[in-house]
Amino acid sequence: MLDCIGLAIAGARTEAVRIARDHVGALGSTGGGATVLGTASRSAPRFAAFLNAAAMHADNFDDTNPQAVAERNGGIHATAPVLAAALAIAEERAASGRALATALHAGIEIACRINHAIDARHYREGFHATGTLSTFGAAAAAAMLYGLDRRRIGHALAFAASAAGGVRQNFGSMVEILHPGLAAEAGVVAADMAARGLVGAADALGGKVGYFAAAAGGFDAAVLERLGDPWAILDPGMWIKPFPNGALTHPAMTGLLALRREHGLGGGDIASISAKTNRRVFETLIHHDPKTVMEARFSMQFALALIAVEGRAGLAEFTEDTLARPDIRQAMARVRFAAYDRPEAGFTNMTTLLAVELADGRRLERRCDWAQGSTHAPMSFADACEKFRQCTAFAGFPPQSAEAAIGIVGAFDSLDDAGRIARICQTGGERQ
């Protein structure tokens, strides 16, 4: 929760979110019951959810729930759309922190487990799970905060089945940034419609021509029969990102950063880098010569060049100016990115084989199975607080307000009014 709120404050400054905010303003939907984080604005819950989820994802810095098995790719950024939807409704309805927490956990579980259950064709052939499947989690979380019963929650999920969308071809574009926002907004609308009496098909997901059949060709029902056993937030876990770009680059970035530290390397010591992943990862990181910083977030070449030259990769480094620098461009040209023939026993679905040729002729190799921030090298709450401070400082948010937000989120389970979390983050960012 803290991580995504910090990202929303930082992401409110981005061009895509500014355009979306202008669109919402042009509709006359300002001054409503929910906070637009990082700004001085308020809006109707559906639009606050849309804007906040988009801002949380704007820098591709939000957490990831990976696939549960090694032979599949296509993790999901479920927290942003589910939290944005839940927070907007919780604030409008003055729900308690415990009610918000319950809805958040349930929505994340549904989004993530549907991603584990749906046939691999869904992601492989172009759907973006964050835009599509998070819609169901957002709808469920919003419906719980509306106080809907089991039957009406089902109607909200039926609405979500007809609203869920998003394709991976938009990776590296402004449209992709809005995918979580569209999911969050659709979730709020679904719950509101169901609360007003809208009725959907009882089998809109699993029916013969339901969502699973239409969008994937099938699903594993056994996965969905084990909701909460274990919770997806624990297994395979929510991986908080250390870098603001596609998570599939993070094992390699973590490994290269470790090699730099272990051997005392500087940018001038690295002659070339080779990174090999499975073919599914290779075909997802499609921008080998990125022209914009949005494309660079899906580029292994830029990611490793940044670590090689700068030894760090934060929001301050992911800029158009950095991408255009001659030393970064030269370093990108020295990165060889390819797919290995077949994974070996023990490989994860993100395993990257890294080889670094040094200027003095030495060769360093490392197998990178996990990234910093994963369940195998998790961030502590203190780590998340430090990332929150960095994001809010990058946005010019007042330090005293940032510390107050950390305190409120740390005690959210005992809050009588969960909306305090949003309201403390209303000022200090870009304002309308």
Side-chain angles (χ1 to χ4, degrees):
M1 183 182 293
L2 183 69
D3 186 52
C4 273
I5 290 173
L7 297 175
I9 293 171
R13 303 168 70 253
T14 62
E15 182 69 4
V17 177
R18 184 197 62 76
I19 291 171
R21 201 160 56 244
D22 287 349
H23 166 73
V24 170
L27 298 176
S29 183
T30 57
T35 298
V36 180
L37 300 170
T39 79
S41 299
R42 299 177 66 79
S43 190
R46 66 179 291 177
F47 296 122
F50 168 59
L51 294 171
N52 288 336
M56 290 172 186
H57 185 64
D59 293 304
N60 214 305
F61 212 178
D62 48 327
D63 61 40
T64 305
N65 180 264
Q67 285 290 349
V69 294
E71 60 269 19
R72 290 184 62 173
N73 280 117
I76 185 171
H77 302 287
T79 303
V82 175
L83 173 60
L87 188 58
I89 300 301
E91 184 179 11
E92 183 193 47
R93 301 176 73 84
S96 69
R98 182 172 291 273
L100 172 61
T102 302
L104 178 63
H105 277 291
I108 288 174
E109 177 70 5
I110 287 170
C112 293
R113 289 308 183 194
I114 288 178
N115 191 41
H116 299 157
I118 197 167
D119 191 272
R121 192 194 91 187
H122 184 73
Y123 187 85
R124 184 180 65 242
E125 296 187 6
F127 281 107
H128 183 201
T130 298
T132 56
L133 309 183
S134 293
T135 308
F136 298 102
M144 291 181 69
L145 287 162
Y146 266 102
L148 304 190
D149 59 20
R150 178 188 182 98
R151 177 181 59 83
R152 289 189 293 172
I153 290 175
H155 295 319
L157 294 176
F159 183 100
S162 288
V167 295
R168 291 196 291 121
Q169 194 63 46
N170 273 316
F171 279 11
S173 76
M174 287 186 181
V175 172
E176 187 273 339
I177 288 172
L178 300 186
H179 285 179
L182 294 169
E185 180 185 5
V188 170
V189 174
D192 185 77
M193 291 285 193
R196 296 175 187 278
L198 189 76
V199 174
D203 53 355
L205 277 76
K208 184 178 179 181
V209 288
Y211 188 82
F212 292 142
F219 70 107
D220 185 348
V223 172
L224 298 182
E225 291 168 0
R226 299 193 303 270
L227 289 174
D229 183 24
W231 290 90
I233 202 168
L234 298 177
D235 183 10
M238 306 303 287
W239 297 10
I240 297 179
K241 286 187 174 184
F243 312 114
N245 65 332
L248 297 178
T249 66
H250 289 188
M253 295 174 76
T254 298
L256 183 58
L257 196 57
L259 288 175
R260 276 186 54 118
R261 291 169 177 166
E262 291 167 9
H263 296 274
L265 303 177
D269 298 319
I270 298 173
S272 66
I273 302 169
S274 170
K276 290 186 176 181
T277 64
N278 66 56
R279 184 154 297 280
R280 298 185 303 277
V281 170
F282 179 77
E283 291 174 350
T284 300
L285 298 174
I286 58 177
H287 294 290
H288 306 303
D289 184 24
K291 301 299 190 295
T292 68
V293 75
M294 287 184 291
E295 291 181 353
R297 296 186 193 279
F298 295 90
S299 171
M300 181 69 82
Q301 288 84 348
F302 179 75
L304 293 182
L306 201 53
I307 295 294
V309 174
E310 294 288 345
R312 61 183 181 273
L315 289 173
E317 284 71 48
F318 274 82
T319 67
E320 303 291 347
D321 288 344
T322 303
L323 179 60
R325 277 171 37 187
D327 57 342
I328 295 293
R329 282 290 173 183
Q330 291 164 10
M332 288 170 61
R334 297 195 296 270
V335 176
R336 299 187 300 276
F337 180 36
Y340 42 72
D341 292 335
R342 61 179 62 87
E344 298 178 8
F347 278 19
T348 72
N349 57 10
M350 298 175 69
T351 293
T352 305
L353 305 179
L354 196 63
V356 180
E357 301 284 349
L358 301 182
D360 63 10
R362 286 182 294 159
R363 178 182 173 89
L364 306 177
E365 296 184 354
R366 175 159 297 199
R367 177 178 136 183
C368 312
D369 293 324
W370 310 104
Q372 178 190 354
S374 72
T375 47
H376 298 267
M379 287 191 189
S380 65
F381 186 68
D383 293 332
C385 289
E386 183 56 30
K387 180 181 171 183
F388 179 85
R389 292 185 183 103
Q390 291 174 7
C391 289
T392 54
F394 181 78
F397 192 73
Q400 65 273 21
S401 296
E403 294 305 316
I406 289 172
I408 291 173
V409 174
F412 75 91
D413 201 40
S414 62
L415 291 179
D416 291 334
D417 179 5
R420 287 186 61 200
I421 298 169
R423 290 190 292 275
I424 196 67
C425 297
Q426 187 173 13
T427 60
E430 180 183 343
R431 303 184 184 187
Q432 288 184 341

